[in-house]
Amino acid sequence: MKKLAALCLVALLLTGCAVEGPDSVTAPEAAPEMAGTFPGLGGTMPEMTFTTADGREMTLSGLLKEKELVVLNFWFENCGWCMREFPVMELAYQRYQEDVEIVALNPSDGAQRVKAFYEKNSLSFPMTACPTTWATEAGVSAFPTSIYIDRDGVVCLIHTGAITSPNVWYTLFDAFTGDDYQQKIYQSIDELIQ
């Protein structure tokens, strides 16, 4: 019995945090929209429209006109690994925000809780509530999950799990930014950080 409990604990830690049940979902105040379905790795992302926790209207196409990389980071408030990742992600964002945009998408907690979390935690990258269907269509099975969209709107990497080293964030951002960027689809983060 102890072995089974230990195996369950290890499996939970390896897969990340799970979303709470549908009863915990609150509808966002301004419903975000995605014009199409999630294309998967190597596909071109459809247009996305959302209102951030601080009231800014954003579109994916608008972000890609200004930035060389957009990272969609799926998270929820009670995810311990998400909370460990945020301070390191913020540090990397501060360094690369001229070329990179991170959008933290929460499919679980609703717009009011996302806004309260954003205001309490002094994070500078945009956060927004999103429909649970966005996470489902993107194949998010554990949290956090980050989707890396290059300057051409192509999904070049999907990573599940917290990144808690600033150097890993820097390496990822360096791979997608700069004048010498050449598009490549990565099956795993390990291809970039070896």
Side-chain angles (χ1 to χ4, degrees):
M1 187 62 134
K2 287 183 182 179
K3 272 187 173 179
L4 180 59
L7 287 173
C8 289
L9 178 60
V10 168
L12 179 63
L13 290 173
L14 289 175
T15 59
C17 302
V19 172
E20 295 174 2
D23 294 338
S24 67
V25 177
T26 305
E29 292 171 1
E33 296 178 12
M34 187 183 320
T37 58
F38 182 75
L41 191 61
T44 301
M45 266 312 273
E47 178 67 284
M48 300 172 73
T49 304
F50 48 85
T51 302
T52 64
D54 60 355
R56 291 180 288 161
E57 295 284 330
M58 292 187 156
T59 63
L60 179 60
S61 61
L63 293 174
L64 289 172
K65 286 179 185 174
E66 299 173 12
K67 308 293 180 173
E68 297 176 24
L69 174 68
V70 174
V71 179
L72 304 178
N73 178 265
F74 286 91
W75 68 286
F76 69 100
E77 189 174 11
N78 291 324
C79 169
W81 284 109
C82 302
M83 298 309 110
R84 290 183 189 137
E85 181 176 60
F86 276 158
V88 181
M89 193 162 62
E90 173 68 22
L91 183 66
Y93 180 69
Q94 288 298 321
R95 187 170 174 176
Y96 285 84
Q97 64 185 329
E98 187 174 310
D99 299 319
V100 174
E101 190 62 80
I102 297 171
V103 182
L105 299 171
N106 185 316
S108 178
D109 297 315
Q112 291 175 340
R113 285 180 61 186
V114 170
K115 182 177 181 180
F117 180 89
Y118 178 79
E119 291 170 351
K120 178 182 174 187
N121 288 282
S122 302
L123 298 168
S124 60
F125 50 83
M127 301 186 115
T128 186
C130 72
T132 56
T133 55
W134 286 15
T136 303
E137 287 181 14
V140 175
S141 59
F143 294 82
T145 292
S146 293
I147 297 171
Y148 296 77
I149 303 165
D150 77 356
R151 61 189 76 184
D152 299 317
V154 174
V155 177
C156 290
L157 173 66
I158 301 171
H159 176 72
T160 299
I163 300 172
T164 57
S165 163
N167 290 331
V168 173
W169 282 107
Y170 301 156
T171 299
L172 288 168
F173 291 168
D174 283 342
F176 291 101
T177 60
D179 293 338
D180 60 345
Y181 172 73
Q182 293 183 7
Q183 188 176 80
K184 181 176 178 187
I185 307 304
Y186 297 94
Q187 300 296 318
S188 165
I189 193 173
D190 296 334
E191 295 176 48
L192 287 159
I193 59 172
Q194 293 181 23

